[in-house]
Amino acid sequence: MRSQPFAVCLALALALPFGAAAQADPQQSEPSAPAPAATPAPAAVPATGNAEAGRTLAYTCQGCHGITGYKNAYPSYRVPKIGGQSAQYLGQALTEYREGKRKHPTMQAQSMSFSTQEIADLAAYLSTLK
């Protein structure tokens, strides 16, 4: 078993809380003016994924998702199988982790490093695996 992907996942999981704290603006001590009314965002155009590009991005995914029966020690959970899932589901899941709609420190850290196109590429590749 290669330890590099696991080490990358672990490092990202440990760095996530520190990265969130660094994004806070410590100099903003007084309340800001109310934000203007939000306008609805335009519908996102789904990116078409390139499976070959996704293959090169998926090496860190295999550190957890590529091990049959892998179970994390703490907190105790089974790592889901992602190979063979639909590209639409995988893309949606990664996007939801990136937006904070799904909660998991490692997955949030991983997904924040990917662009919309990279998420589509990963989804296209992972959907071809069995």
Side-chain angles (χ1 to χ4, degrees):
M1 178 173 101
R2 294 178 40 204
S3 62
Q4 184 181 9
F6 178 73
V8 171
C9 289
L10 182 60
L12 287 171
L14 294 174
L16 182 66
F18 298 110
Q23 290 179 357
D25 186 3
Q27 296 177 354
Q28 186 178 4
S29 59
E30 56 188 69
S32 61
T39 58
V45 176
T48 301
N50 176 335
E52 187 58 31
R55 184 180 67 79
T56 61
L57 294 169
Y59 73 95
T60 58
C61 305
Q62 298 304 316
C64 295
H65 294 282
I67 303 171
T68 303
Y70 179 72
K71 183 177 179 186
N72 192 7
Y74 183 75
S76 181
Y77 65 91
R78 293 208 180 273
V79 177
K81 178 184 173 193
I82 54 177
Q85 297 286 351
S86 74
Q88 180 182 2
Y89 170 77
L90 293 167
Q92 180 179 351
L94 282 170
T95 300
E96 288 177 358
Y97 280 119
R98 185 175 66 183
E99 294 172 351
K101 293 178 182 175
R102 288 189 183 204
K103 306 290 183 194
H104 187 277
T106 303
M107 288 303 303
Q108 286 176 311
Q110 288 281 12
S111 62
M112 284 184 208
S113 69
F114 297 129
S115 69
T116 302
Q117 183 61 54
E118 289 170 328
I119 287 175
D121 294 344
L122 275 166
Y125 171 69
L126 293 171
S127 68
T128 66
L129 300 178
K130 297 295 174 200

